[in-house]
Coordinates of all heavy atoms in Angstrom, one line a residue:
F57 N 14.2 4.2 84.6 CA 13.6 3.1 83.9 C 12.3 2.7 84.7 O 12.4 2.0 85.6 CB 14.5 1.9 83.7 CG 15.6 2.1 82.8 CD1 16.9 2.6 83.2 CD2 15.4 1.9 81.4 CE1 17.9 2.8 82.3 CE2 16.4 2.2 80.5 CZ 17.7 2.6 81.0
L83 N 19.7 7.3 75.4 CA 19.0 6.1 74.9 C 17.9 6.4 73.9 O 17.8 5.9 72.8 CB 18.5 5.2 76.0 CG 17.9 3.9 75.6 CD1 18.9 3.0 74.9 CD2 17.4 3.2 76.9
S84 N 17.0 7.3 74.3 CA 15.8 7.6 73.5 C 15.3 9.0 73.8 O 15.6 9.6 74.8 CB 14.7 6.6 73.6 OG 14.3 6.5 75.0
G105 N 19.7 7.6 70.6 CA 19.7 6.4 69.6 C 18.4 6.2 68.9 O 18.4 5.7 67.8
T106 N 17.3 6.5 69.6 CA 16.0 6.4 69.1 C 15.2 7.6 69.4 O 15.2 8.1 70.5 CB 15.2 5.2 69.7 OG1 15.9 4.0 69.4 CG2 13.8 5.1 69.2
W108 N 11.3 8.7 69.1 CA 9.9 8.5 68.8 C 9.2 9.8 68.5 O 9.5 10.8 69.1 CB 9.2 7.7 70.0 CG 9.6 6.3 70.1 CD1 9.3 5.3 69.3 CD2 10.4 5.7 71.2 NE1 9.8 4.1 69.7 CE2 10.5 4.3 70.9 CE3 11.0 6.2 72.3 CZ2 11.2 3.4 71.7 CZ3 11.7 5.3 73.1 CH2 11.8 4.0 72.8
L113 N 7.7 4.0 72.8 CA 8.0 2.6 73.0 C 7.4 1.7 71.9 O 7.1 0.6 72.1 CB 7.5 2.2 74.4 CG 8.3 1.0 75.0 CD1 9.8 1.3 75.1 CD2 7.7 0.6 76.3
I114 N 7.2 2.3 70.7 CA 6.9 1.4 69.6 C 8.2 1.0 69.0 O 9.0 1.8 68.6 CB 6.0 2.2 68.6 CG1 4.7 2.6 69.2 CG2 5.8 1.4 67.3 CD1 3.8 3.4 68.3
R115 N 8.3 -0.3 68.9 CA 9.6 -0.8 68.4 C 9.4 -2.0 67.4 O 8.7 -2.9 67.7 CB 10.5 -1.3 69.5 CG 11.8 -1.7 69.1 CD 12.9 -1.7 70.2 NE 14.1 -2.3 69.6 CZ 14.7 -3.4 70.1 NH1 14.3 -3.9 71.2 NH2 15.8 -3.8 69.5
D116 N 10.0 -1.9 66.3 CA 10.0 -2.9 65.3 C 11.4 -3.6 65.4 O 12.4 -3.0 65.3 CB 9.8 -2.4 63.9 CG 9.8 -3.4 62.8 OD1 10.4 -4.5 63.0 OD2 9.2 -3.2 61.8
L117 N 11.4 -4.9 65.7 CA 12.6 -5.6 66.0 C 13.6 -5.7 64.8 O 14.7 -6.1 64.9 CB 12.4 -7.0 66.5 CG 11.7 -7.0 67.9 CD1 11.4 -8.5 68.3 CD2 12.5 -6.3 68.9
N118 N 13.1 -5.3 63.6 CA 13.9 -5.2 62.4 C 14.7 -3.9 62.3 O 15.6 -3.7 61.5 CB 13.1 -5.3 61.1 CG 12.5 -6.7 61.0 OD1 13.3 -7.7 61.1 ND2 11.2 -6.8 60.9
L119 N 14.4 -2.9 63.2 CA 15.1 -1.7 63.2 C 16.2 -1.7 64.3 O 16.1 -2.3 65.3 CB 14.1 -0.5 63.5 CG 13.0 -0.3 62.5 CD1 12.1 0.7 63.0 CD2 13.6 0.0 61.1
P120 N 17.3 -1.0 64.0 CA 18.4 -0.9 65.0 C 18.0 -0.2 66.3 O 17.1 0.7 66.3 CB 19.5 0.0 64.3 CG 19.0 0.1 62.9 CD 17.6 -0.2 62.8
F121 N 18.5 -0.7 67.4 CA 18.2 -0.2 68.7 C 19.5 0.0 69.5 O 20.3 -1.0 69.6 CB 17.2 -1.0 69.5 CG 16.8 -0.5 70.8 CD1 15.9 0.6 70.9 CD2 17.4 -1.0 72.0 CE1 15.6 1.1 72.2 CE2 17.1 -0.4 73.2 CZ 16.2 0.6 73.3
G122 N 19.7 1.1 70.1 CA 20.8 1.3 71.0 C 20.9 2.8 71.3 O 20.3 3.6 70.7
G123 N 21.8 3.1 72.3 CA 21.9 4.5 72.8 C 23.1 5.2 72.3 O 24.0 4.6 71.6
S127 N 24.7 5.8 77.3 CA 23.6 4.8 77.2 C 24.0 3.7 76.3 O 23.1 2.9 75.9 CB 22.3 5.5 76.6 OG 21.8 6.4 77.5
I129 N 26.9 1.6 73.5 CA 27.5 1.7 72.2 C 27.0 0.6 71.3 O 26.6 -0.5 71.8 CB 29.1 1.6 72.2 CG1 29.5 0.3 72.9 CG2 29.7 2.9 72.9 CD1 31.0 0.1 72.8
G130 N 27.0 0.7 70.0 CA 26.6 -0.3 69.1 C 25.1 -0.3 69.0 O 24.4 0.4 69.7
R131 N 24.6 -1.2 68.1 CA 23.2 -1.3 67.9 C 22.8 -2.8 67.9 O 23.7 -3.6 67.5 CB 22.8 -0.7 66.5 CG 23.0 0.8 66.5 CD 22.0 1.5 67.4 NE 22.1 3.0 67.4 CZ 22.9 3.6 68.3 NH1 23.5 3.0 69.2 NH2 22.9 4.9 68.2
E132 N 21.6 -3.1 68.2 CA 21.1 -4.5 68.1 C 19.8 -4.4 67.4 O 19.2 -3.3 67.3 CB 20.9 -5.1 69.5 CG 19.9 -4.4 70.4 CD 19.8 -5.0 71.7 OE1 20.7 -4.7 72.6 OE2 18.8 -5.7 71.9
G133 N 19.4 -5.5 66.9 CA 18.1 -5.6 66.1 C 18.5 -5.9 64.6 O 19.3 -5.3 64.0
A134 N 17.8 -6.9 64.1 CA 17.9 -7.3 62.7 C 19.4 -7.6 62.4 O 20.1 -8.2 63.2 CB 17.3 -6.3 61.7
D136 N 21.9 -5.7 62.6 CA 22.8 -5.1 63.6 C 23.2 -6.1 64.7 O 24.2 -6.0 65.4 CB 22.3 -3.8 64.1 CG 22.1 -2.8 63.0 OD1 23.1 -2.2 62.6 OD2 20.9 -2.6 62.6
S137 N 22.3 -7.0 65.0 CA 22.5 -8.0 66.1 C 23.7 -8.9 65.8 O 24.3 -9.4 66.6 CB 21.3 -8.8 66.4 OG 20.3 -8.0 66.9
F140 N 26.7 -7.1 66.9 CA 26.6 -6.8 68.4 C 26.8 -8.0 69.2 O 27.4 -8.0 70.3 CB 25.2 -6.1 68.7 CG 25.1 -5.6 70.1 CD1 25.7 -4.4 70.4 CD2 24.4 -6.3 71.0 CE1 25.6 -3.9 71.7 CE2 24.3 -5.8 72.3 CZ 24.9 -4.6 72.7

Side-chain angles (χ1 to χ4, degrees):
F57 291 95
L83 184 58
S84 61
T106 298
W108 285 291
L113 208 55
I114 294 175
R115 183 160 176 237
D116 182 330
L117 296 178
N118 292 307
L119 297 175
F121 180 79
S127 290
I129 57 171
R131 296 291 178 266
E132 60 183 83
D136 297 284
S137 293
F140 188 79

